[in-house]
Amino acid sequence: MIQLIIYLLLFFIILTAFFAVFANSLISSLIALSILSSNLVILFVILQAPDVALAEVVIASGITTGFFIITIDKTGGRR
Amino acid sequence: MRRIYILALILILASLLFFTFYDLIQPKEFIDDKAQISEYYIEHGVKETGAINLVTAILFDYRAFDTLGEATVIFIAVSAISLLATKERVLVSDTNFSPIVYQGISFIIPFLYILAFYLIFYGHLSPGGGFTGGVVIATTFVLLKMTFGIRYSKEEKSLQRRSLIESIGALGFILVGILGIIMGDNFLANEGAGFHLGIAGQLLSAGVIPILNLFTGVKVGSGLAIIFHRLVREE
């Protein structure tokens, strides 16, 4: 059962990574990156690494997304 | 053509990631050399550092010099962004949210501060640590400024105060390290430098680790807040 969950999470991570690279607008690829790191957080919790999970949830899906949104907005990459 | 290159790169990296986790799911026999160091940490970590969270024990005691390097990376990022984005005027965000957003953000900010200081001060007892707590502090700044506008806090004074706080964090970390040399041991030494370890599991224990956690949290939080502030300015 837990193996099935891990395989599903890994598959979804690869899927969101593909979407992040091939998406048309930068904002959608940014949201895909955020979803990727959320999946990674669940994977870290399952693999019993709460420290890494905390760092990932705060840095990758939290503050990095905010910084990227501001940067994309300022450089005019929003299409 | 470029997409094909990207696709090939993604496939290579994805297969690397897959095989890494595949080994974790079905672990093979570890080679003895690799198993020795982790077993040493598990057996002697609590006795030597006094921190019951072994990840923090490694981050802030055995490999504290690496943590200093990580904090320096944030300092370099702050310097580079301050150099690149030096615009005079500040854009006041005209976005008006619904009252639910204002009230919700005002309600959630104190809890976020409590979470951040819990992560910093209990870093040697439970998952967390100075780095994570500092990022949570920076997140509160981001939320406040996004919601209530840039002019919510006084501009230049708070920026100067924040860079002062960041310098205090960096200097404190290095001074604690030099204290280890003065007491007659290595840079960033913990027990060997005469710091009292206390009873493992109590809040005031683990010698120098909570102090280093506090300095790292202060430094990371103020540094990321400065980065956000610099990024959000506009001509």
Side-chain angles (χ1 to χ4, degrees):
Chain A
M1 185 60 198
I2 196 77
Q3 291 222 352
L4 183 69
I5 294 173
I6 290 176
Y7 285 140
L8 272 178
L9 281 172
L10 286 174
F11 175 71
F12 207 67
I13 284 173
I14 294 172
L15 202 71
T16 45
F18 270 102
F19 188 80
V21 175
F22 293 109
N24 280 324
S25 82
L26 283 175
I27 292 287
S28 353
S29 80
L30 182 60
I31 299 301
L33 266 187
S34 186
I35 296 171
L36 187 150
S37 46
S38 311
N39 286 313
L40 213 53
V41 167
I42 304 172
L43 200 61
F44 283 141
V45 171
I46 290 174
L47 293 174
Q48 300 183 354
D51 284 89
V52 189
L54 263 173
E56 179 81 19
V57 75
V58 169
I59 295 169
S61 51
I63 204 159
T64 312
T65 313
F67 283 173
F68 266 124
I69 286 176
I70 298 162
T71 315
I72 289 169
D73 191 33
K74 288 193 73 168
T75 51
R78 191 174 48 182
R79 270 181 290 157
Chain B
M1 198 61 201
R2 193 162 154 261
R3 292 204 162 190
I4 296 170
Y5 284 137
I6 294 173
L7 195 64
L9 193 66
I10 287 172
L11 279 177
I12 292 168
L13 290 178
S15 56
L16 274 178
L17 185 75
F18 175 74
F19 284 116
T20 313
F21 281 110
Y22 190 74
D23 275 353
L24 281 179
I25 292 164
Q26 290 161 345
K28 294 168 190 164
E29 292 285 320
F30 271 107
I31 309 165
D32 284 339
D33 291 343
K34 283 184 186 169
Q36 272 174 6
I37 182 95
S38 60
E39 276 176 10
Y40 178 82
Y41 284 146
I42 291 169
E43 279 180 18
H44 302 271
V46 177
K47 213 188 313 170
E48 284 183 0
T49 64
I52 57 174
N53 181 10
L54 274 178
V55 178
T56 311
I58 292 173
L59 272 180
F60 287 96
D61 191 319
Y62 292 112
R63 302 280 180 267
F65 195 63
D66 288 350
T67 310
L68 180 61
E70 283 175 21
T72 315
V73 166
I74 290 203
F75 175 72
I76 294 169
V78 170
S79 308
I81 288 174
S82 300
L83 182 72
L84 286 177
T86 47
K87 292 285 162 56
E88 291 297 320
R89 284 176 50 203
V90 172
L91 180 81
V92 183
S93 84
D94 293 329
T95 318
N96 280 318
F97 299 103
S98 74
I100 298 171
V101 176
Y102 292 115
Q103 292 298 320
I105 294 297
S106 318
F107 184 75
I108 211 170
I109 288 290
F111 293 102
L112 275 178
Y113 270 110
I114 289 175
L115 174 68
F117 284 106
Y118 166 77
L119 284 174
I120 290 176
F121 286 117
Y122 282 74
H124 55 296
L125 301 178
S126 61
F131 216 84
T132 321
V135 180
V136 175
I137 291 179
T139 313
T140 60
F141 283 115
V142 173
L143 277 178
L144 270 178
K145 293 204 164 179
M146 283 242 185
T147 322
F148 293 100
I150 294 305
R151 290 234 174 105
Y152 177 69
S153 56
K154 297 271 187 298
E155 277 306 315
E156 283 305 318
K157 270 185 187 171
S158 74
L159 200 63
Q160 283 175 1
R161 206 187 317 146
R162 245 170 250 156
S163 61
L164 182 71
I165 290 171
E166 198 203 2
S167 312
I168 287 174
L171 279 179
F173 200 105
I174 295 172
L175 280 180
V176 169
I178 291 176
L179 205 62
I181 297 181
I182 292 173
M183 303 294 270
D185 207 316
N186 297 323
F187 188 67
L188 287 167
N190 190 2
E191 193 191 10
F195 290 106
H196 189 55
L197 284 190
I199 303 161
Q202 285 186 349
L203 180 59
L204 289 174
S205 67
V208 80
I209 293 179
I211 308 170
L212 290 183
N213 263 325
L214 181 61
F215 282 138
T216 315
V218 161
K219 181 172 166 29
V220 170
S222 50
L224 287 178
I226 292 172
I227 288 182
F228 177 76
H229 192 101
R230 288 290 186 195
L231 275 180
V232 106
R233 291 166 144 226
E234 199 159 300
E235 52 188 311

